[in-house]
Amino acid sequence: MAQAMRPHTAGGLFATDGKPHPLQDTLLAVTLVLGITAFVTAMFHNLHLLSSWTGLVGILTGAYGQWISETTRERFGLILGLGAAAVGFFLGMAHGGLFGGVIS
């Protein structure tokens, strides 16, 4: 019953080690929001600028979040956000790209 003797420490929502990780949680939330935005807007051809830029920024924030993440739960959420951001980015690039229609 050694586990009964351990104190229950409340950490962040995604922290399994009992310590708060505010920077990692912020990067996780930003990556998820950008990934969902990029994925949803990639379904519309005329929103390729929004989907490609949010996808690109989502990929960058997710990659940095992966680099500094400390728990498996953080990494799991970051991978979901990175995947959605990448799909949104690539579909946005296929529909016109980062500057498509703006620079002639």
Side-chain angles (χ1 to χ4, degrees):
M1 296 285 283
Q3 63 270 27
M5 299 301 292
R6 293 183 188 155
H8 179 62
T9 57
L13 178 63
F14 299 105
T16 55
D17 59 353
K19 296 183 241 175
H21 303 129
L23 178 61
Q24 289 85 351
D25 292 342
T26 302
L27 286 171
L28 171 62
V30 168
T31 302
L32 283 173
V33 167
L34 288 171
I36 290 169
T37 303
F39 184 78
V40 170
T41 57
M43 304 305 161
F44 304 99
H45 295 284
N46 56 347
L47 294 177
H48 64 87
L49 289 173
L50 181 62
S51 64
S52 59
W53 280 106
T54 55
L56 180 62
V57 175
I59 290 170
L60 295 176
T61 58
Y64 182 67
Q66 281 285 4
W67 187 47
I68 65 169
S69 66
E70 297 185 15
T71 64
T72 303
R73 289 184 183 175
E74 293 167 352
R75 292 183 189 115
F76 179 76
L78 284 167
I79 287 297
L80 291 177
L82 269 168
V87 168
F89 173 71
F90 290 131
L91 286 175
M93 292 299 287
H95 293 159
L98 296 170
F99 302 106
V102 176
I103 298 177
S104 299

